[in-house]
Amino acid sequence: MTESTHDGPTSVRRWQVPGRVNLVGEHLDYNGGPSLPFAIDRFLTVKARARDDDAVNAWSGGRKASFTTSVAPGDVDGWAAYVAGAVWAFGQAGHRLGGVDLVLEVDPKAGLPEGAGLSSSAALTVGVVSALDDLAGTGLDGTTRAVVAQRAENDFVGAPTGLMDQLAVVHGRAGHAVLTRPLADPPHTEPAPFDPPGAGLSLLVIDTGVDHSHAVHAETGGGYAQRREECGRAAAELGLEHLADAGLDAVLRLQDETLKARLRHVITETARVTAAVRTLRDGDWSQLGTILTASHESLRDDFEVSCAELDVAVEAALEAGALGARMTGGGFGGSAIALAPQPKAAAVRELIEHRYDALGWTPPTTFAVRAADGATRTH
Ligand code: GLA
């Protein structure tokens, strides 16, 4: 694609779009509860140029996909379904849509890895929606772009995700986490200071390399869709619209042991988010660490979305001196996080690698992240 510096109709717009890590508040977004994610300094880039026909071409890592602006669910699959879904959802929202050439790029060393549970799919859909909005001059606000991007994933790709990831990708702010309540009306987002490096700490991401994507897709009957269904059933039995509205006594009112356990997670995790926000305001990092680890235990034992690779990473991180560690995201693979004093970060990484090695597992990829700005037009 030829770049142009003038702002004519054929000029190239470039968007830098981060992934996200969820600090705490897991599996709450679709239950009406709060989450505390942050956008990370691992990005993908979306370059976009308007066309004067209705063709949509997308290039990504040597792959190319072509369709038109009339693309509909079922027409496109694989990686390009996220692009096509964003195009479709933008049009469905009633916005003017012309053809577009899109180039999606990820720096192979420091870019946003795909399939690591760091929301590369939300980054992709938010990036394309932002570019379409920009080219059409629609001027949608960030939350509306996030909602359109979620629709792409839910109704085109067939992944029944909540809205947390997209809100974090849009509303991220350097040095801050984003307290989100996606099911508030309108969806609520609020920055909360979060700067571990400023306090001599590292927030490490441990990418287990275990593919979690099948768990999210409805048609595979994956664990994510199953958890959503269980939470919906528990809420219906309690006569609640959202499970996060349940009081403590609600656990006693459910008969089914599995639903009780799911509810226990939702209630305790909601309390952990409130407590975590307080630790950020007070700079109480050690207490934040305790909360992160408690969240992992709840996801492992009550919500049952962890896996051996995540548990081993968390246990080794704690043993090597992390203040806290947990799985992040939907679970069933993907990444764990560890909050560690900077001088201990190397020991954390080494002990996790050692444990994986002893178990005959492929070593995970560990790297530090910072809280970064959300999707930004850079050109
Ligand atoms: C995935 C989904 C989110 C959220 C998390 C669990 O990342 O995309 O909407 O439900 O799982 O907190």
Side-chain angles (χ1 to χ4, degrees):
M1 196 186 296
T2 335
E3 303 238 353
S4 158
T5 47
H6 72 276
D7 223 21
T10 57
S11 70
V12 174
R13 316 277 174 97
R14 186 191 293 140
W15 284 76
Q16 175 177 275
V17 196
R20 69 93 187 90
V21 155
N22 188 17
L23 194 55
V24 69
E26 216 65 88
H27 285 274
L28 295 185
D29 59 350
Y30 56 83
N31 279 313
S35 303
L36 193 58
F38 60 98
I40 57 175
D41 54 347
R42 290 278 181 140
F43 306 95
L44 63 79
T45 303
V46 176
K47 289 185 198 165
R49 183 179 55 191
R51 297 176 55 91
D52 53 14
D53 57 14
D54 68 351
V56 179
N57 298 306
W59 290 265
S60 168
R63 305 167 293 190
K64 183 184 177 193
S66 295
F67 42 90
T68 70
T69 52
S70 321
V71 70
D75 290 352
V76 179
D77 55 19
W79 68 274
Y82 293 90
V83 181
V87 169
W88 172 80
F90 187 75
Q92 287 286 305
H95 306 306
R96 190 174 64 81
L97 187 61
V100 60
D101 287 335
L102 295 158
V103 177
L104 317 165
E105 287 170 345
V106 180
D107 181 301
K109 281 213 187 85
L112 176 61
E114 228 178 90
L118 302 175
S119 289
S120 61
S121 53
L124 184 48
T125 51
V126 164
V128 173
V129 168
S130 301
L132 295 174
D133 171 58
D134 191 17
L135 291 173
T138 328
L140 299 180
D141 64 46
T143 297
T144 305
R145 280 186 281 126
V147 169
V148 173
Q150 182 198 17
R151 177 124 201 253
E153 215 160 327
N154 289 177
D155 298 340
F156 196 103
V157 177
T161 64
L163 185 60
M164 164 182 76
D165 304 337
Q166 297 82 355
L167 288 175
V169 167
V170 166
H171 290 294
R173 194 198 281 187
H176 292 76
V178 190
L179 176 61
T180 69
R181 264 182 197 278
L183 293 186
D185 187 16
H188 179 77
T189 61
E190 187 185 329
F194 177 64
D195 180 22
L201 299 164
S202 281
L203 196 295
L204 300 170
V205 169
I206 304 117
D207 174 8
T208 63
V210 178
D211 181 14
H212 67 111
S213 59
H214 62 283
V216 185
H217 287 266
E219 72 270 20
T220 60
Y224 183 91
Q226 199 188 3
R227 291 302 175 278
R228 278 200 78 147
E229 187 275 325
E230 289 164 349
C231 290
R233 201 144 38 90
E237 276 189 31
L238 294 165
L240 297 169
E241 192 183 349
H242 301 306
L243 199 53
D245 296 336
L248 277 177
D249 61 310
V251 178
L252 301 173
R253 287 165 40 217
L254 290 174
Q255 302 302 319
D256 184 283
E257 289 302 326
T258 301
L259 297 193
K260 274 180 192 274
R262 307 300 185 246
L263 174 59
R264 250 192 330 265
H265 169 73
V266 168
I267 292 175
T268 57
E269 187 77 349
T270 301
R272 280 186 286 271
V273 176
T274 309
V277 171
R278 209 175 309 125
T279 65
L280 295 190
R281 303 224 159 104
D282 297 349
D284 189 348
W285 296 97
S286 135
Q287 180 62 16
L288 177 63
T290 304
I291 292 168
L292 299 186
T293 306
S295 169
H296 183 76
E297 288 165 1
S298 178
L299 288 157
R300 183 191 62 201
D301 301 338
D302 280 343
F303 216 69
E304 295 181 280
V305 291
S306 189
C307 63
E309 291 83 352
L310 289 165
D311 293 343
V312 166
V314 165
E315 279 154 30
L318 294 172
E319 209 179 310
L323 301 179
R326 63 182 288 270
M327 52 155 279
T328 188
F332 306 102
S335 293
I337 55 171
L339 180 67
Q342 271 164 1
K344 296 203 168 147
V348 167
R349 189 178 54 238
E350 279 157 25
L351 190 58
I352 296 172
E353 282 172 7
H354 179 72
R355 290 283 147 79
Y356 268 54
D357 193 45
L359 287 159
W361 297 344
T362 311
T365 312
T366 301
F367 50 91
V369 291
R370 287 169 179 265
D373 284 335
T376 308
R377 186 176 151 192
T378 55
H379 182 85

